[in-house]
Amino acid sequence: MNKSKGSVESDISKAITQWEKDYLGRGSVSVKTDILRNMVIVSLQGVLTPAEYSVCETKEGMLTVKKTRSELVESGLESLKEIIFANSGEQVKSFHTDISSRTGERVMVFKLYNDLEKKFL
C-alpha cells in the first residue's frame, strides 16, 4: 500500500461523510477514522437532528430513534463495506455500531479479515 495510515483514515472519513449525505440525506458534523489492528473505527459527531434529541427525552423515544437509525445504517451496509474495501484493500468480516442518544455520537466498527495496521509499518 502506497498511502500512509493517516491518508487512508482521512479518505475513509470523507467517503463515509459523502455516503451519509447521499444515502441518509444529511451528514454528521465531524467524522474521525482510526485504524487499529484488524479494525477500522469510525466516530461520527452530530448525527442526531434536534427533533430526534427531543424524542430521546423518553426511554421509549430513545429506543425508537436508536432502532430506526440502526436500521437505516444497516440497510446501507453493503455500500459501507465497499467504502472500506476501496480505501483499504481489505474485506469487512463484521460490522458493529451504536449511537448515543445523549451526545448524538455514532461509533462504527468494521472488523477486517486481516491486520490492516501491519500494512503501514
Side-chain angles (χ1 to χ4, degrees), residues 32-74:
K32 173 77 172 100
T33 300
D34 294 292
I35 294 168
L36 178 66
R37 295 186 301 273
N38 67 330
M39 294 178 284
V40 176
I41 303 163
V42 183
S43 298
L44 304 100
Q45 303 286 332
V47 172
L48 297 179
T49 66
E52 286 171 320
Y53 279 116
S54 204
V55 170
C56 284
E57 289 176 6
T58 66
K59 183 172 182 169
E60 184 179 315
M62 179 217 27
L63 293 173
T64 300
V65 168
K66 286 182 101 165
K67 182 177 185 292
T68 302
R69 283 297 189 128
S70 181
E71 288 173 356
L72 285 171
V73 169
E74 294 275 351

